[in-house]
């Protein structure tokens, strides 16, 4: 009986070992299966993210191409310039009205604060959507006159606020436009502030005299 018991015990131990090995293999296979499932899920997530990124890039490139095509269209660019001219006329009246309610300095500060906010929004959109690179060390080599545009713009707005209530929007803007065009022709002629040289031809001179005549008529009548 003792030998049979020992033999049975050996078989029992062997069976237990086989069962333990089987359980270990099952556990290992389960872990491998879970790892594979996790890896597959991660791969699917990466594929989805990559697909979204490619779609976003394609959309941005499409928008950039459309905007470039629109700006290259002289009719569309001319339309934008007309709108810009209209907004300047309205700006004169808006600033003059704010001047009456809040004062000259307050009107100037509000005008430029709103302008700065709009420029920051444009900058963010241009960098993110337009993929325009951020300024680098090259900007440090810009000439001195490249940095005074804001000062000139402030002068324009302040003088606008001071003169529109006294002379009227039409007279003020006609003088502004006349002075701008004549000065622009001189800047072209002498190639000032980095622009390409374009001769102040006789036709341009005659057109300038015509502008002066327009200013006189608008101011007088």
């Amino acid at each position: 009986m003792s030998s049979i018991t020992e033999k049975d015990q050996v078989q029992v131990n062997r069976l237990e070992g086989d069962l333990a090995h089987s359980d270990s293999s099952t556990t290992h296979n389960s872990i491998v299966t879970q790892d594979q499932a996790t890896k597959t899920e991660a791969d699917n997530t990466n594929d989805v993210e990559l697909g979204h990124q490619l779609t976003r890039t394609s959309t941005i490139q499409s928008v950039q191409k459309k905007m470039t095509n629109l700006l290259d269209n002289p009719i569309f660019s001319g339309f934008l310039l007309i709108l810009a001219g209209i907004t300047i006329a309205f700006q004169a009246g808006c600033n003059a009205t704010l001047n009456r309610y809040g004062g000259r300095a307050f009107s100037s500060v509000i005008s430029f604060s709103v302008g700065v906010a709009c420029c920051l929004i444009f900058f963010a959109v241009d960098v993110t959507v337009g993929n325009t690179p951020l300024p680098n060390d090259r900007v440090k080599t810009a000439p001195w006159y490249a940095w005074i545009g804001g000062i000139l713009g402030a002068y324009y707005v302040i003088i606008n606020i001071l003169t529109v209530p006294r002379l009227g929007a039409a007279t003020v803007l006609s003088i502004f436009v006349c002075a701008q065009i004549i000065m622009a022709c001189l800047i072209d002629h002498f190639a000032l502030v980095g622009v390409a040289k374009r001769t102040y031809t006789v036709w341009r001179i005659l057109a300038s005299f015509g502008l002066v005549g327009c200013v006189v008529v608008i101011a007088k009548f």
Side-chain angles (χ1 to χ4, degrees), residues 116-157:
V116 168
C118 293
C119 288
L120 289 175
I121 294 173
F122 171 72
F123 177 76
V125 173
D126 193 37
V127 170
T128 55
V129 179
N131 284 337
T132 300
L134 292 172
N136 51 30
D137 291 339
R138 186 170 179 268
V139 74
K140 298 178 181 179
T141 63
W144 64 269
Y145 53 79
W147 302 96
I148 64 173
I151 298 175
L152 301 179
Y155 175 79
Y156 164 77
V157 171

Side-chain angles (χ1 to χ4, degrees), residues 57 82 97 116 131 200:
T57 302
I82 292 172
T97 301
V116 168
N131 284 337
Y200 200 178

Side-chain angles (χ1 to χ4, degrees), residues 64-198:
Q64 290 175 344
K65 185 176 181 180
K66 289 180 180 179
M67 287 301 300
T68 301
N69 292 336
L70 284 174
L71 293 176
D72 288 340
N73 187 334
I75 296 177
F76 181 76
S77 295
F79 175 71
L80 292 180
L81 290 172
I82 292 172
L83 286 181
I86 293 173
T87 57
I88 289 176
F90 274 103
Q91 182 197 36
C94 294
N95 289 339
T97 301
L98 189 59
N99 175 22
R100 291 199 303 270
Y101 285 90
R104 295 172 294 188
F106 177 77
S107 177
S108 301
V109 170
I110 292 299
S111 178
F112 270 92
S113 297
V114 175
V116 168
C118 293
C119 288
L120 289 175
I121 294 173
F122 171 72
F123 177 76
V125 173
D126 193 37
V127 170
T128 55
V129 179
N131 284 337
T132 300
L134 292 172
N136 51 30
D137 291 339
R138 186 170 179 268
V139 74
K140 298 178 181 179
T141 63
W144 64 269
Y145 53 79
W147 302 96
I148 64 173
I151 298 175
L152 301 179
Y155 175 79
Y156 164 77
V157 171
I158 292 172
I159 297 302
N160 196 323
I161 291 171
L162 294 175
T163 56
V164 167
R166 294 169 173 80
L167 301 178
T171 299
V172 169
L173 291 181
S174 63
I175 294 173
F176 274 147
V177 170
C178 180
Q180 284 175 345
I181 293 179
I182 293 175
M183 192 65 230
C185 289
L186 292 173
I187 289 173
D188 281 349
H189 183 77
F190 294 104
L192 302 176
V193 293
V195 302
K197 180 178 177 60
R198 292 193 65 182

Side-chain angles (χ1 to χ4, degrees), residues 40-54:
T40 301
E41 184 178 355
D43 291 340
N44 291 336
T45 302
N46 292 334
D47 290 341
V48 171
E49 292 178 354
L50 180 60
H52 289 328
Q53 185 176 1
L54 291 175

